[in-house]
Amino acid sequence: MEISESTLKTIIAKLPHLKNEIQKVIVGQDEVLDELVIALMAGGHCLLEGVPGLAKTLMVRTMSQALDLSFRRIQFTPDLMPTDIIGTEILEEDHSTGKRFFKFNKGPLFANIILADEINRTPPKTQSALLEAMQEFEVTYGGQTYPLDRPFFILATQNPIEQAGTYPLPEAQLDRFLLFVKIGYPSEQEEFGILSSTTGSKKPVIEPVLTAEEIIQIQSLVRDVSISEDLIIYTSKLIRATRPDTTQTDFVKEWVRWGAGPRAGQALILTSKARALLKGRYAVIIEDLHAMAYPVLRHRILVNFKAEAENVTADQVTAELIKSVARPKVKI
């Protein structure tokens, strides 16, 4: 896709405005918003986790309003079936001929931005219906394949508490999410801003910032951001160090059951490229890799039972690896 330099600069200049529009409604959460925008730029999907009341759903809805894209919200429940999200065939009749035929009625998955709300509330059969859509950007029903609209961005939310009656996502499906974003409590000042801005009658107006075509152009451009061979080697070392059988880090050998696969390395490089572009750079630096390592590895490092008993998290493992894995000798 050929894009003129002036058009390119105009599109990139809109990225900070996207975040500003979202922050008309969402107070604070700078890092979380950056990670959501990065996932969109990289063409992947996001899993958001946070306790109830932290505006996960509102954040996704506001982001969709700031993008000139179609949006659907799916509330996942224990009785939700795969056909409820993919769609189903219905029997119709041609009134002119009297002939009957089956017509595929598209489900809510056929939109640009999908909010999969409380994804861990629905059984594995329905969760797995998302797999093909997330990976192949298409769905199959009755032997017929239907392409999904591009860009296609799934934002799934889940609560870390009240796990009774939930269905935790299997590792294979977790790995399909480019980033696992954790939303924490706001600071005291941010909470004051939330209480002030949400209890009055004034409602902010969200203006669309980017079109579907511009987002596709950005996603294409992200892959052209340069990264040095030294940083690719460093990324490989970092990912291999998460695996107990290939690591040199005692911390990993003690606390980790399974390490990250090659898809984690691909995700780390791609999201680091997107972060570099978001920050106005056309080359990846080591700080990009370190910043993105946490949301990339959070759901791909499986700690063992001992770690769970001692409250050792995947983020702590990532922090230890960033300290222990040798960095490139040349300044990058």
Side-chain angles (χ1 to χ4, degrees):
M1 185 184 297
E2 291 294 330
I3 313 171
S4 67
E5 188 175 344
S6 60
T7 304
L8 197 59
K9 289 182 178 178
T10 302
I11 294 173
I12 294 172
K14 289 183 178 182
L15 289 172
H17 296 300
L18 173 60
K19 185 176 172 182
N20 292 339
E21 285 297 313
I22 299 172
Q23 287 184 321
K24 285 182 180 179
V25 174
I26 303 299
V27 179
Q29 303 290 3
D30 284 344
E31 188 176 324
V32 171
L33 292 178
D34 278 346
E35 289 172 359
L36 293 188
V37 173
I38 285 167
L40 175 66
M41 292 170 65
H45 309 287
C46 249
L47 181 64
L48 283 80
E49 183 177 275
V51 299
L54 293 182
K56 299 184 295 296
T57 302
L58 180 62
M59 190 180 295
V60 177
R61 186 181 295 278
T62 305
M63 184 176 183
S64 72
Q65 291 171 348
L67 299 166
D68 191 16
L69 300 173
S70 58
F71 169 72
R72 295 289 184 275
R73 176 179 181 266
I74 306 172
Q75 179 63 54
F76 281 77
T77 57
D79 60 347
L80 196 73
M81 298 296 289
T83 52
D84 293 329
I85 61 174
I86 293 175
T88 186
E89 286 183 336
I90 56 174
L91 185 63
E92 291 197 349
E93 182 178 340
D94 188 333
H95 295 292
S96 60
T97 63
K99 290 184 177 180
R100 294 183 177 183
F101 59 93
F102 283 102
K103 180 183 177 183
F104 182 68
N105 192 28
K106 293 180 178 180
L109 207 56
F110 286 83
N112 294 120
I113 296 182
I114 307 295
L115 169 56
D117 214 357
E118 294 189 296
I119 191 172
N120 58 335
R121 296 281 176 196
T122 203
K125 179 168 63 174
T126 305
Q127 291 174 353
S128 64
L130 290 174
L131 282 177
E132 183 186 10
M134 292 172 67
Q135 190 67 23
E136 308 297 337
F137 299 97
E138 62 187 24
V139 297
T140 302
Y141 185 92
Q144 183 74 30
T145 298
Y146 301 90
L148 295 163
D149 298 332
R150 303 294 293 269
F152 181 67
F153 187 35
I154 290 180
L155 290 140
T157 70
Q158 63 179 17
N159 296 326
I161 59 176
E162 296 180 50
Q163 293 299 310
T166 62
Y167 305 86
L169 291 169
E171 285 73 19
Q173 188 162 348
L174 281 173
D175 198 34
R176 293 296 198 280
F177 286 98
L178 189 69
L179 299 179
F180 182 5
V181 180
K182 284 201 171 184
I183 304 178
Y185 288 111
S187 65
E188 184 176 355
Q189 185 176 358
E190 289 170 350
E191 193 149 3
F192 173 81
I194 291 169
L195 297 177
S196 299
S197 62
T198 59
T199 54
S201 58
K202 185 178 178 182
K203 293 191 179 298
V205 177
I206 307 298
E207 300 291 340
V209 176
L210 290 167
T211 64
E213 184 182 357
E214 288 172 333
I215 293 168
I216 292 171
Q217 289 173 336
I218 289 172
Q219 291 175 347
S220 176
L221 178 63
V222 162
R223 292 183 173 271
D224 292 330
V225 173
S226 70
I227 180 170
S228 70
E229 187 175 314
D230 286 332
L231 285 183
I232 295 176
I233 293 171
Y234 175 72
T235 300
S236 177
K237 288 181 178 178
L238 197 64
I239 299 303
R240 291 182 63 80
T242 66
R243 304 166 192 163
D245 57 339
T246 59
T247 190
Q248 301 297 317
T249 306
D250 292 336
F251 193 89
V252 172
K253 292 178 181 178
E254 184 177 1
W255 303 108
V256 175
R257 178 161 52 101
W258 292 104
R263 189 182 281 138
Q266 295 171 328
L268 183 53
I269 290 176
L270 196 57
T271 54
S272 295
K273 287 184 174 187
R275 185 180 187 271
L277 197 62
L278 184 63
K279 302 296 182 182
R281 289 181 274 103
Y282 294 93
V284 174
I285 60 176
I286 199 167
E287 284 76 12
D288 295 321
L289 294 170
H290 288 168
M292 300 314 303
Y294 292 94
V296 165
L297 295 176
R298 189 170 287 145
H299 54 306
R300 293 182 168 102
I301 294 176
L302 303 181
V303 296
N304 56 29
F305 178 78
K306 179 184 176 184
E308 291 177 358
E310 296 291 332
N311 291 322
V312 173
T313 65
D315 280 1
Q316 289 175 265
V317 176
T318 302
E320 190 66 28
L321 289 172
I322 288 174
K323 286 192 296 182
S324 62
V325 174
R327 303 185 183 191
K329 292 183 180 179
V330 294
K331 184 173 176 59
I332 299 173

